[in-house]
Amino acid sequence: MAGTYVHGKELRDLKVTKGTGLTVGIASGNYNIAGIEGNYAGITNQAVTDNTTNYVEMDNTGAISVNTSGFTAAYLHLATVVTASG
């Protein structure tokens, strides 16, 4: 299985944090996904689904996605976010 790696100069690169309500923030940072490098600008209001486990991930174009079924094999796995009652 090919490795998926993240790299950056700082530990805070691509860090996922609690946002307001049912959102998370994702810090800016560098990434390397299957040999494709880039820089992500960051976001402060990525929506997550209530009362479930959310899988926050990034594809090799730097696009963020959140789903409730599990991590996608070829994507960079950023965080597992569990929500309950908002």
Side-chain angles (χ1 to χ4, degrees):
M1 179 168 106
T4 300
Y5 306 99
V6 60
H7 72 84
K9 294 180 180 178
E10 305 292 334
L11 291 175
R12 68 181 173 265
D13 281 1
L14 306 176
K15 181 178 180 180
V16 178
T17 57
K18 183 182 181 311
T20 303
L22 288 171
T23 68
V24 294
I26 303 167
S28 63
N30 299 312
Y31 62 87
N32 180 332
I33 302 172
I36 297 174
E37 295 185 8
N39 182 277
Y40 180 69
I43 190 171
T44 58
N45 60 350
Q46 177 65 52
V48 293
T49 303
D50 199 8
N51 296 320
T52 192
T53 300
N54 295 265
Y55 300 89
V56 183
E57 56 191 9
M58 175 188 285
D59 72 13
N60 64 6
T61 68
I64 298 292
S65 64
V66 178
N67 72 72
T68 58
S69 59
F71 285 119
T72 306
Y75 286 18
L76 179 63
H77 308 164
L78 297 178
T80 303
V81 177
V82 179
T83 59
S85 302

